[in-house]
Amino acid sequence: MRTPRQILADARVIAVVGASRNPAKAAYSVPQQMQRYGWRIIPVNPEADELFGEKVYRSLADIPHPVDLVDVFRPAQDAVAVVRDAVAIGAPAVWLQLGIVSPEARRIAEAAGIDYVEDRCLVIERAAGNLSRLS
């Protein structure tokens, strides 16, 4: 299994499940900052049409191209379904944001052989590793 820093360094396209339209929420500011540093953000939210200048998809299954990482901004009880969906689309890694922990989601990810991170923030890891996708 890759470390959180390795997952971010390898990723280019991040699907953000639970991306928010509200700039006051981390589910808005975190993906926006990752985009600012060069990652392509694919928002997943059943109630929006466009976020961060990208088309919003209703579910992971609706995304028409591969993603390198599924970032989750949903309550812990929703993480199991999101991880199952991530496995179904062939995502190589799932990341549950700060404060989100799910032993069952972890078991599903590990059984599928995909990288799994929980209770950590993409932005903090990006900054700690001084990572960027910008040329």
Side-chain angles (χ1 to χ4, degrees), residues 18-32 45 48 50-52:
S20 177
R21 296 177 287 193
N22 183 345
K25 290 187 172 185
Y28 181 94
S29 61
V30 168
Q32 183 183 52
N45 179 323
E50 183 178 305
L51 284 168
F52 322 113

Side-chain angles (χ1 to χ4, degrees), residues 4-28:
R5 198 167 293 169
Q6 289 170 321
I7 292 168
L8 274 183
D10 293 344
R12 295 191 186 294
V13 178
I14 302 173
V16 180
V17 178
S20 177
R21 296 177 287 193
N22 183 345
K25 290 187 172 185
Y28 181 94

Side-chain angles (χ1 to χ4, degrees), residues 29-102:
S29 61
V30 168
Q32 183 183 52
Q33 186 170 103
M34 295 304 290
Q35 186 182 56
R36 199 174 296 137
Y37 279 91
W39 280 267
R40 179 164 183 214
I41 298 299
I42 306 299
V44 178
N45 179 323
E47 299 174 11
D49 294 319
E50 183 178 305
L51 284 168
F52 322 113
E54 292 278 353
K55 176 181 175 166
V56 176
Y57 293 91
R58 301 293 175 248
S59 71
L60 289 173
D62 292 336
I63 300 172
H65 49 76
V67 299
D68 302 311
L69 173 60
V70 174
D71 183 35
V72 182
F73 278 99
R74 299 291 306 144
Q77 64 265 25
D78 296 348
V80 171
V82 174
V83 172
R84 284 190 180 120
D85 291 347
V87 169
I89 66 163
V94 174
W95 189 299
L96 275 55
Q97 279 294 138
L98 204 56
I100 307 170
V101 175
S102 173

